[in-house]
Amino acid sequence: FHCCFMGKAGKKRLRDEVEALPATSGALQSALEALPRSVLLELRRDLALGPFDEALRRLGDSGRCEVASSKAACEALHEAGEEASVEAVAAVLGLRRHCWGFSQSADAVDAACHALKALLQPDRAALLEALQHGSAFCGSVKRHLGKHDGQALMKLGKPRVLWLLGADPDDPATVGPNDAAATGESGNRRKQRRKRQHQKAQQDRGKEDNVASSGGETGETDDDSSGE
């Protein structure tokens, strides 16, 4: 993915245009759900690294899904605007905290692109390989760029840095374990675990109350203390 540098005027215009009348969330979600997951992951990357209109153009020109589906998705996304589109893509993919809009982070993307220009191609390839194989993100960046020059990359975060280095949109290192299926399963497990913990806490409090009430306190004392 090629870095996209923008002037201050262009960035201001993007920020001004990010707010738009949202499309019906159901219609937008339906249009996105009709797209293959691979296309959605490409859209996720394009929304994060380039202007909104450019991301929609790339979606329409991708040729990786039916023309009618991509056209309907482009129309729904355009009507919704960037912010709502990012949220919708995140929801459909099950990656609610790992999708970004370019307008809100254009400066950070530009800074990361500028920092990566200091790396020779072999070093870029080595950093990409390290991150793809699970090396610690911040540690790897510091080793290749140093703490100071690596700040821009660490601020941008692992998925977007991987894309700037040339990783595929569906690279596991950019998606992680929180894909749609895993997110649903792990989310259900967390909910069940929290429910069990809550029930156990209530049971423990009930036992403590029983012990306290059997410790010689009378009903009159309880009434007096509750009225104070």
Side-chain angles (χ1 to χ4, degrees):
F1 195 92
H2 297 289
C3 294
C4 178
F5 289 94
M6 300 188 68
K8 292 183 178 179
K11 293 172 185 175
K12 184 178 185 301
R13 177 177 57 80
L14 282 171
R15 286 192 291 268
D16 291 341
E17 293 178 353
V18 68
E19 294 295 338
L21 293 175
T24 303
S25 59
L28 176 56
Q29 182 169 334
S30 297
L32 293 175
E33 288 175 344
L35 300 176
R37 183 173 176 80
S38 59
V39 173
L40 286 172
L41 289 170
E42 286 185 4
L43 177 60
R44 170 187 176 234
R45 177 201 62 189
D46 294 344
L47 288 171
L49 297 185
F52 183 57
D53 289 344
E54 176 66 14
L56 298 190
R57 186 193 64 77
R58 292 170 69 94
L59 172 60
D61 295 343
S62 67
R64 297 189 60 181
C65 58
E66 295 181 0
V67 174
S69 296
S70 62
K71 181 179 180 181
C74 286
E75 290 175 353
L77 291 163
H78 185 269
E79 184 179 353
E82 184 184 61
E83 185 174 358
S85 295
V86 170
E87 292 177 357
V89 170
V92 172
L93 285 172
L95 298 165
R96 296 184 183 278
R97 293 180 299 173
H98 296 89
C99 292
W100 309 268
F102 180 71
S103 296
Q104 300 300 321
S105 56
D107 289 338
V109 173
D110 280 358
C113 288
H114 181 75
L116 285 174
K117 281 192 170 184
L119 286 180
L120 299 176
Q121 186 56 39
D123 295 323
R124 290 171 65 99
L127 176 57
L128 174 60
E129 183 178 4
L131 295 178
Q132 288 176 320
H133 286 80
S135 297
F137 175 61
C138 291
S140 298
V141 170
K142 290 176 183 177
R143 279 194 297 273
H144 286 84
L145 280 166
K147 183 177 181 181
H148 180 269
D149 292 339
Q151 285 295 325
L153 273 64
M154 290 184 279
K155 181 178 180 181
L156 191 63
K158 183 178 178 180
R160 285 177 285 182
V161 168
L162 277 164
W163 291 328
L164 290 177
L165 288 168
D168 293 330
D170 59 350
D171 190 303
T174 70
V175 178
N178 295 321
D179 59 24
T183 299
E185 293 172 1
S186 62
N188 289 335
R189 285 197 295 269
R190 285 194 295 270
K191 290 178 181 178
Q192 293 171 358
R193 184 167 62 250
R194 286 195 295 267
K195 183 177 180 180
R196 289 195 298 270
Q197 292 172 343
H198 180 67
Q199 290 174 341
K200 186 177 184 302
Q202 287 183 321
Q203 292 173 354
D204 291 342
R205 283 196 295 270
K207 292 177 181 178
E208 292 174 358
D209 292 341
N210 290 335
V211 171
S213 63
S214 63
E217 295 182 359
T218 65
E220 294 179 354
T221 302
D222 290 340
D223 290 340
D224 291 344
S225 62
S226 64
E228 290 179 355

